[in-house]
Amino acid sequence: MENKREQWGSNVGFLLAAIGSAVGLGNIWGFPYKMGTSGGFAFLLIYLIFVVFVGFSVMLGEIALGRKFGKGILGTYQAISKKYTWVGLLGLFSSVIILSFYAVLGGIVVKYMGAFFLEMLKKGGAFNNMSSNEYFGTFIMNANGMLLYFFIFLAVTALVVMGGIKNGIEKFSKIGMPALFVILIIIIVRSVTLPGAQAGLAFMFKPDFAKFQEIGFFNIIKSAAQQMFFSLSLGVGCIMTYGSYLSKKENIEKNALIIPIADTAMALMAGLAVMPAVGAFAGVVEGISFNAGPGLLFITLHTVFLQGMGGFMGAAFGFLFYFLVFIAALSSSVSLFEVPATFVADKMIEKSKKPNRKKITLGVMTLVFVIGSPVALDGLGGGNLIDRNFFFGRWGFLDFYDLLSEGIFMPLGALIMSVLIGWRLKTGYIKNEIEIDGHKMKAYHFWTFCFKFIVPLSMIVVLYAQLRAFGIL
Ligand code: PHE
């Protein structure tokens, strides 16, 4: 039959795709500066606790649920009971929202990659002699440019997804992920051998428990948990969707362990690539400091390559670095794109129709382009075209999309899933799926404990902290 569902060609293919989903802007951009400003090693400890007790168990639950029913997120929840359709819809909605701002940011990465490439060829001048701040500010206010690069990034994502699970996503991941790893190593070597690099290492790793009081323990917990969720692509159906294409022969427990370990290792490595380079020039070159926060990716690092390292080598490393960020972001956006794509494909298979990947991807792409356009059109929320306080008189598009997805839907999705599986359906549900290949589920007791108690409790804390941060509670 033509309309059977696809499968990954191999377990390695699945793993690389899932790690590709996990490793993205969150690792390279968010993690290093958040760790540095939130207590260094002390933050890392809290982050690791979340990875072990929450990340691993939700990852395992998502892969097992996806594989059990062989459906995307909506199909999975509907298969459990029609009552839970809304939970699936939440995930579906969330993935589309994240993709629509993620791809705008991905577009800026493409722009930088191209500009550094030109800088390398022309030996200067590609940035019109502007400061990094000016360059970034000018570019994001250029509505046409932003829309164009958003479109390019989205189209490349669609192109990968169009190839399907095995010939699109898996093939891309098998080349992209090893390439990403090699480039990361090259940049780490360059970065840590720069004179003065230690300052960056100290910024990132030095334990600073006093920060817990300064920032507030609650806020630290919230930011570690949200960072972990976002970084592991949990709670929106990406991992569930990828899991639904996994063969019944494969060992889910092992996979659920490898993905978070790889993701955390890559986040730490990204920190080693980025922070020592910032440290080498902080206080030496104007505009380079540790305190840029989100300005790290497009402003601070831009100055590091262009003025800190400078010359041809600076441009070459700049190109290499943004190329690395591009691959990381692309493999994540592909997984977000696959969530709605799988939903439509599954619906067609249910109706005994052959899913047409081309039509599906074009449809999803159009939807995401429409939803994401306000983010691109208006300087990421800093412009004057669209009301900066469009949502509830407080948030612009980028902030609101981010708050909605990362702040609420992701933890809420995990909360509902853990309560549903841990308390209502009983955990044997997952155990049976994991043991289907004949091996015994080793982490059963640990996992049950996490799913019943730790995941719901910590998600409630995160949601509470988030609503308080909104000023709602
Ligand atoms: N994990 C990705 C990152 O770290 C982002 C992502 C979130 C991807 C949610 C898929 C789902 O950048």
Side-chain angles (χ1 to χ4, degrees):
M1 280 277 289
E2 279 280 25
N3 52 2
K4 272 238 298 281
R5 252 174 146 255
E6 277 194 78
Q7 269 192 359
W8 300 104
S10 66
N11 195 55
V12 173
F14 161 76
L15 267 179
L16 289 176
I19 294 171
S21 168
V23 176
L25 295 176
N27 303 60
I28 303 175
W29 187 2
F31 187 80
Y33 87 79
K34 282 185 196 160
M35 181 167 156
T37 50
S38 314
F41 193 72
F43 178 83
L44 181 63
L45 279 181
I46 298 201
Y47 184 85
L48 289 178
I49 292 175
F50 272 113
V51 172
V52 173
F53 288 94
V54 180
F56 164 72
S57 54
V58 175
M59 176 77 59
L60 190 130
E62 282 204 26
I63 303 176
L65 271 187
R67 192 178 75 173
K68 185 173 178 70
F69 296 105
K71 293 265 165 63
I73 186 160
L74 189 64
T76 297
Y77 280 106
Q78 282 183 329
I80 295 175
S81 160
K82 285 269 185 244
K83 280 198 305 227
Y84 300 124
T85 301
W86 65 277
V87 188
L89 280 175
L90 207 72
L92 205 57
F93 184 61
S94 200
S95 61
V96 170
I97 294 284
I98 298 181
L99 180 57
S100 61
F101 72 81
Y102 205 82
V104 174
L105 299 173
I108 308 179
V109 174
V110 174
K111 168 78 188 170
Y112 272 52
M113 186 173 89
F116 268 108
F117 189 67
L118 277 183
E119 176 81 9
M120 207 166 79
L121 291 187
K122 293 204 299 195
K123 304 199 172 55
F127 294 97
N128 312 328
N129 293 323
M130 286 187 207
S131 74
S132 303
N133 240 331
E134 261 180 279
Y135 184 78
F136 180 66
T138 314
F139 180 66
I140 61 171
M141 288 304 180
N142 169 357
N144 292 335
M146 286 286 283
L147 275 185
L148 175 70
Y149 281 95
F150 170 37
F151 180 81
I152 293 175
F153 186 83
L154 199 56
V156 179
T157 306
L159 221 56
V160 175
V161 174
M162 209 181 273
I165 297 296
K166 196 167 144 191
N167 292 324
I169 302 180
E170 182 166 351
K171 237 188 202 156
F172 162 70
S173 309
K174 277 188 161 164
I175 303 170
M177 287 302 109
L180 182 141
F181 191 74
V182 173
I183 300 174
L184 192 57
I185 301 275
I186 296 175
I187 296 182
I188 291 176
V189 171
R190 170 73 287 214
S191 189
V192 295
T193 51
L194 286 167
Q198 315 82 280
L201 295 176
F203 167 77
M204 192 161 152
F205 287 97
K206 205 165 136 256
D208 185 359
F209 286 94
K211 276 276 189 296
F212 287 9
Q213 271 203 326
E214 209 177 285
I215 303 177
F217 193 57
F218 238 13
N219 288 332
I220 299 251
I221 296 250
K222 182 188 88 155
S223 105
Q226 281 179 352
Q227 173 67 26
M228 185 278 294
F229 250 74
F230 190 78
S231 192
L232 286 177
S233 310
L234 297 173
V236 295
C238 285
I239 298 294
M240 205 181 267
T241 302
Y242 275 9
S244 74
Y245 295 105
L246 189 64
S247 142
K248 297 272 185 201
K249 291 197 307 271
E250 309 301 348
N251 183 333
I252 294 183
E253 256 184 322
K254 209 160 75 192
N255 285 334
L257 200 64
I258 296 175
I259 301 164
I261 293 177
D263 183 69
T264 309
M266 294 292 256
L268 287 168
M269 284 171 69
L272 287 183
V274 164
M275 284 309 171
V278 175
F281 302 109
V284 181
V285 175
E286 203 188 313
I288 300 183
S289 85
F290 290 119
N291 304 322
L296 174 69
L297 184 63
F298 295 121
I299 299 175
T300 310
L301 285 169
H302 182 261
T303 320
V304 164
F305 294 120
L306 211 60
Q307 282 163 36
M309 292 188 189
F312 177 79
M313 282 320 260
F317 272 102
F319 168 70
L320 209 58
F321 175 75
Y322 288 102
F323 179 61
L324 163 102
V325 183
F326 169 66
I327 300 179
L330 183 60
S331 55
S332 298
S333 69
V334 160
S335 74
L336 286 160
F337 200 113
E338 187 56 44
V339 176
T342 288
F343 158 68
V344 183
D346 283 350
K347 281 284 163 233
M348 297 181 97
I349 292 175
E350 258 172 42
K351 291 185 188 142
S352 306
K353 281 197 219 137
K354 184 175 182 303
N356 181 336
R357 277 244 157 206
K358 208 164 164 183
K359 271 198 192 148
I360 296 174
T361 30
L362 287 178
V364 172
M365 190 175 146
T366 312
L367 176 75
V368 173
F369 191 70
V370 170
I371 300 183
S373 287
V375 179
L377 271 177
D378 200 32
L380 302 177
N384 298 313
L385 214 57
I386 302 172
D387 184 359
R388 281 182 204 191
N389 304 316
F390 189 86
F391 291 98
F392 306 103
R394 286 181 63 182
W395 296 290
F397 276 84
L398 178 61
D399 287 346
F400 189 66
Y401 284 0
D402 183 39
L403 284 177
L404 210 57
S405 48
E406 202 180 349
I408 301 186
F409 289 168
M410 294 177 106
L412 194 61
L415 174 64
I416 297 168
M417 180 170 125
S418 59
V419 171
L420 194 65
I421 306 293
W423 293 94
R424 294 198 64 137
L425 300 169
K426 305 294 175 252
T427 46
Y429 203 72
I430 298 284
K431 187 168 184 266
N432 291 342
E433 178 61 30
I434 289 181
E435 294 188 343
I436 224 167
D437 64 346
H439 90 287
K440 197 144 178 51
M441 181 173 173
K442 293 197 193 75
Y444 180 64
H445 293 293
F446 172 75
W447 177 80
T448 308
F449 173 69
C450 293
F451 232 61
K452 278 189 128 140
F453 303 104
I454 313 234
V455 178
L457 262 178
S458 46
M459 290 306 102
I460 289 172
V461 171
V462 169
L463 283 166
Y464 173 74
Q466 185 61 61
L467 294 177
R468 248 174 47 140
F470 284 174
I472 295 174
L473 285 179

